[in-house]
Amino acid sequence: MAVSRRRRTRTAIAATVAAVGLTLGLTTGCDAVNKALDCVETADAVADAVTDLQQAVDSAANDPTQTQEAIDSIGKSLDKIDSETGDADLDKATEDLRRALIEVTTAIENGDQTPDITGVTDAAGELTKVCTS
């Protein structure tokens, strides 16, 4: 069931990326299009990293380092978004996602091998919405 949900999420992201790219290409200049596409591409990378985080949490007993690697990957994507944009809504979305990642990291440090990452997935969804609106 989780795999099906991930496929639907990726399909929705891909459709949104295509629609945003087409719409922006018709209504704005090249700089705005490039900036929006960078945001969408990075949001897509965040979505992939969130999927990796979910898989890492699911298999934490086998390799606990995968969870931290996925968290680090999301953090790097957020750093990229922060350096490329100055949008207040986007800043809030990245801040919320960072806060959720800290909560997961804290849970892991406190011994929770299968932390709840609902906050991360919700914040990543919000980030995607901001990038595509």
Side-chain angles (χ1 to χ4, degrees):
M1 182 160 107
V3 173
S4 176
R5 186 172 10 146
R6 283 185 225 129
R7 283 187 189 133
R8 281 183 278 166
T9 301
R10 286 187 182 190
T11 301
I13 289 171
T16 303
V17 168
V20 168
L22 180 61
T23 302
L24 288 175
L26 296 174
T27 61
T28 62
C30 290
D31 288 339
V33 171
N34 289 335
K35 191 172 187 178
L37 289 177
D38 285 344
C39 183
V40 170
E41 287 171 4
T42 305
D44 188 42
V46 168
D48 288 344
V50 169
T51 299
D52 292 344
L53 177 59
Q54 179 63 55
Q55 292 170 347
V57 166
D58 290 345
S59 63
N62 298 333
D63 187 0
T65 61
Q66 287 182 346
T67 303
Q68 191 57 50
E69 289 171 6
I71 290 171
D72 292 344
S73 177
I74 295 169
K76 287 177 186 174
S77 293
L78 294 176
D79 290 343
K80 182 178 179 188
I81 290 172
D82 286 342
S83 72
E84 293 178 351
T85 63
D87 181 77
D89 291 334
L90 193 53
D91 289 345
K92 181 176 178 345
T94 59
E95 181 182 318
D96 290 347
L97 185 48
R98 285 184 196 279
R99 190 174 303 116
L101 289 171
I102 290 169
E103 290 173 7
V104 170
T105 301
T106 301
I108 292 168
E109 289 170 354
N110 289 334
D112 187 351
Q113 293 196 7
T114 56
D116 179 11
I117 66 164
T118 303
V120 173
T121 56
D122 291 347
E126 186 61 31
L127 175 70
T128 301
K129 273 197 253 180
V130 169
C131 279
T132 58
S133 62

